[in-house]
Amino acid sequence: MPNPRTADALTAIGVFLQAQQDAGYAAETIRLRGRLLTEYLEHALDEEKTAALAAEELVRPERADSWLGAAGVGGTRRRNTLTGPDATAAHDSQRARIQTYNTFVDHLGLSGLQRPYPPAGHGDRLEPEQAHKLLRTLAVRRPTGANAATAIRTAAVAALVAATGHTVPQLHKLNVTDVDLQRSPVPVVTVNDFEHLLDKDTVAILRRWLDVRAGITKALEGSDPGYLWIPTKPGRERAGVQPPKPGLTRAAVRTLHAAHRSLVLQIVGVPLRPYALLPRT
C-alpha cells in the first residue's frame, strides 16, 4: 500500500476526503474541509513557485503557519464579506482551517504537527447592523442547489437567535404554540417562560417558515406533534428501517447548526455559527 505521506498532496487530499465520507462525516463538513485544504495547497504551491508537493511537504508547520497567517489577514479570500474585502478572517473561519489541518495530519499519522487553536472568545459576534444585514440576506437569497425549505428554516432560527439572545440548543425545544404572531400590539415568542418581543422582520421570516412547515406536516394527516423546528426532508434509511416522516420528530440541534453554517458559508463565504448573531455583552 503506498505511503500516504509521500503521495502527491492533491491525491492525498482526495484520499482523506473519501476516508471522511466513509467514516460518516456530514457532506457539508467534507465539502468545507475539501475547500480549505485546496486553499492551503494553492497557497503553498504559489509560495513555493512549484507545480506539486508531497503530502508530508505540504503539512510542514512553517507552511501551515504561513497559510493561516495569510488567511488571517484576508490574503486567501475570494469573495467579499459583511465587513468588506479587506477584513481580517473570522474566528470561526480560522478555527475551521486549524481543525481541518489537524484532522488531515492525523490522517497522515503526523499528529505531532498539529497547530494550536485560537483562544475561545466572542470575537465573531456581529455588530447589530451586520447581524441585520446577514438576516436580510438569509431571508432572500437562495444559493445554487440549496433546499428552499431548509433555507427559510435556517433564516427563522437565526432571526430568533438575534431577537431573543438565546442559543440554538436553548431554542431547540420550542413548539409552534410558543410563537404568538397574532399578539397585540407586539408579537412574542416564549422561551423558558419568558416572553420576547419580535420585530416586524423576524415576524415576516417566521410567517414564511410556518407556512412552509404547514406544507411539510400536511402529509401527517392530523398527527402533527407541534415541534417548531422539523426536518425539511426525510432522513436516510438505516439498517433497512425507514426514517420517520418530517414533522414527527424535532430537527436535531446539529442539523440546525449544520444548515446555518452551510448556508452562511455559501452566501457570505464565512462559516459563522449562529452565536455570532447573539447580542454583544
Side-chain angles (χ1 to χ4, degrees), residues 152-221:
I152 294 171
R153 185 191 65 193
T154 299
V157 173
L160 280 190
V161 169
T164 66
H166 287 290
T167 63
V168 172
Q170 292 169 327
L171 298 174
H172 174 244
K173 293 296 181 67
L174 287 179
N175 293 316
V176 172
T177 53
D178 294 318
V179 180
D180 187 354
L181 301 185
Q182 307 303 321
R183 177 78 168 266
S184 180
V186 182
V188 299
V189 61
T190 302
V191 185
N192 296 330
D193 298 322
F194 185 85
E195 292 184 346
H196 297 268
L197 304 182
L198 300 176
D199 63 88
K200 64 178 183 179
D201 292 329
T202 299
V203 169
I205 294 172
L206 283 171
R207 286 191 193 282
R208 291 177 61 199
W209 164 241
L210 289 174
D211 286 344
V212 169
R213 183 191 177 283
I216 295 172
T217 58
K218 185 177 180 180
L220 299 179
E221 301 177 348

Side-chain angles (χ1 to χ4, degrees), residues 47-81:
E47 277 207 327
E48 298 295 326
K49 308 300 180 188
T50 185
L53 287 169
E56 62 184 359
E57 295 174 324
L58 175 65
V59 298
R60 288 178 184 172
E62 63 271 19
R63 290 198 173 105
D65 292 341
S66 174
W67 167 54
L68 293 171
V73 296
T76 62
R77 182 171 294 124
R78 294 183 176 181
R79 69 181 90 180
N80 202 351
T81 72

